[in-house]
Amino acid sequence: KAGVTQTPRYLIKTRGQQVTLSCSPISGHRSVSWYQQTPGQGLQFLFEYFSETQRNKGNFPGRFSGRQFSNSRSEMNVSTLELGDSALYLCASSLPGLARQETQYFGPGTRLLVL
Amino acid sequence: EDKVVQSPLSLVVHEGDTVTLNCSYEVTNFRSLLWYKQEKKAPTFLFMLTSSGIEKKSGRLSSILDKKELFSILNITATQTGDSAVYLCAVSGYALNFGKGTSLLVTP
């Protein structure tokens, strides 16, 4: 079974631009969560999608948004990029249900550098 | 506000040493505590703990949870250079809350 895939793997943008990251979950997984990982703050929860609906949201500004498609693939978008948005963005997928947080499989991440 | 604190933040040991990594938490609606290993890419799952006092073991790694004192430890015995990684503790509540990780370097 193929794992979680994320594209692109690396990205360089400049301040003020916007960026879209993509995540394809494991086949059959309908829940997708996004995380931001930085050296200073560690791994922080961004949002979770299930059946094309945002289920949970972390404490991030409105510049961070996401969506999920009917095939469970998900995208996240960051508008008006700031230097502090430089980070590793991880996507994780899981089967739906109460134990979905505990059974997440992580993708390799997209490393975003904002200059 | 939910909080997960790991200590130490970094650690350097020699091969063969035993290490203990700590994780304390304050999370509402606690369901479970998880340990992950991250080697420059996706975190990989190590353990899930839900009950106090029951040790989970996998080879040289073991972990235990204390729900009364709100902490967990991860032990690695007879460390090897391949154990060098960042070890992440996460607590499941409203969302999955991660600590900042412990960076472990095992030197030959």
Side-chain angles (χ1 to χ4, degrees):
Chain A
K1 201 184 246 189
V4 178
T5 57
Q6 292 187 244
T7 57
R9 293 294 309 281
Y10 303 91
L11 204 48
I12 299 175
K13 292 284 188 179
T14 55
R15 274 181 301 175
Q17 286 187 309
Q18 75 162 15
V19 67
T20 299
L21 312 182
S22 180
C23 171
S24 293
I26 292 171
S27 177
H29 285 194
R30 292 165 57 198
S31 179
V32 174
S33 296
W34 288 91
Y35 298 86
Q36 181 196 64
Q37 187 173 30
T38 60
Q41 297 300 318
L43 243 165
Q44 293 182 287
F45 171 74
L46 280 158
F47 27 66
E48 178 194 6
Y49 284 87
F50 171 70
S51 288
E52 303 176 63
T53 302
Q54 188 179 88
R55 183 178 260 176
N56 286 332
K57 189 177 191 306
N59 190 26
F60 278 82
R63 299 185 298 107
F64 292 81
S65 62
R67 59 179 176 167
Q68 186 180 35
F69 301 95
S70 58
N71 62 357
S72 296
R73 190 177 70 84
S74 177
E75 288 182 347
M76 68 162 280
N77 184 77
V78 188
S79 62
T80 320
L81 283 166
E82 301 176 0
L83 295 180
D85 297 333
S86 295
L88 179 67
Y89 290 88
L90 290 163
C91 164
S93 76
S94 61
L95 294 168
L98 290 175
R100 64 187 186 277
Q101 291 179 11
E102 289 86 346
T103 55
Q104 289 185 357
Y105 291 82
F106 285 86
T110 293
R111 189 165 292 282
L112 171 65
L113 177 62
V114 182
L115 302 175
Chain B
E1 186 180 320
D2 293 346
K3 194 164 59 173
V4 179
V5 178
Q6 291 187 245
S7 64
L9 290 181
S10 65
L11 197 52
V12 181
V13 300
H14 293 295
E15 260 190 322
D17 287 351
T18 293
V19 298
T20 298
L21 310 183
N22 304 293
C23 176
S24 64
Y25 63 91
E26 293 175 30
V27 172
T28 52
N29 300 316
F30 172 90
R31 290 215 308 263
S32 61
L33 185 143
L34 301 100
W35 285 96
Y36 292 88
K37 178 181 181 182
Q38 186 176 27
E39 299 170 272
K40 293 185 180 178
K41 47 183 180 176
T44 53
F45 173 81
L46 292 174
F47 296 112
M48 180 174 79
L49 303 156
T50 55
S51 302
S52 274
I54 299 175
E55 187 183 50
K56 292 272 182 102
K57 286 199 75 160
S58 176
R60 297 176 293 103
L61 279 67
S62 64
S63 183
I64 198 160
L65 173 67
D66 186 328
K67 289 170 73 173
K68 184 180 174 188
E69 300 298 329
L70 307 183
F71 80 90
S72 173
I73 60 173
L74 174 68
N75 279 318
I76 309 175
T77 59
T79 51
Q80 302 171 357
T81 54
D83 295 327
S84 296
V86 174
Y87 290 84
L88 296 165
C89 170
V91 177
S92 174
Y94 168 74
L96 203 52
N97 301 278
F98 283 84
K100 292 186 180 180
T102 293
S103 178
L104 173 66
L105 177 62
V106 181
T107 61

